[in-house]
Amino acid sequence: MVKTLRPRDYNEALHVGHFFRNKRIPVVMDLTALTDDVAKQFIDFAAGLVFGRGGDMDRLAPKVFLLVPAGLTRPAVVPDGSTPG
């Protein structure tokens, strides 16, 4: 299972942290609806989250990132951020 989130503002960063840390499932952050400044804040937040929790972060497309919690393998994800099948 992969959770795809398309936040509309920085207040939704809590949701990214919730699924990554508490649910321990990979999260696709689709930041395409955000301004570059707010998207950068999300990327900084995600980098700290991933570093602090020992996970991994990959760029799938411009403004689309995959966060994988530690101990999980990278799921097969198509570039638009949706899961195959």
Side-chain angles (χ1 to χ4, degrees):
M1 176 179 171
V2 175
K3 181 67 176 177
T4 299
L5 298 173
R6 293 176 183 89
R8 293 175 305 243
D9 60 48
Y10 189 73
N11 293 326
E12 295 183 36
L14 176 66
H15 301 294
V16 174
H18 171 76
F19 286 102
F20 183 87
R21 190 184 70 160
N22 297 339
K23 300 289 185 178
R24 292 199 33 82
I25 60 174
V27 176
V28 172
M29 285 192 324
D30 181 345
L31 307 177
T32 55
L34 301 175
T35 65
D36 289 347
D37 289 340
V38 176
K40 184 181 179 328
Q41 290 178 320
F42 261 96
I43 294 165
D44 290 345
F45 167 78
L49 179 66
V50 166
F51 179 78
R53 304 297 292 186
D56 193 26
M57 182 165 76
D58 291 318
R59 179 183 298 222
L60 302 178
K63 289 188 166 183
V64 180
F65 297 85
L66 172 65
L67 312 177
V68 182
L72 298 181
T73 58
R74 184 183 191 278
V77 178
V78 295
D80 71 358
S82 60
T83 55

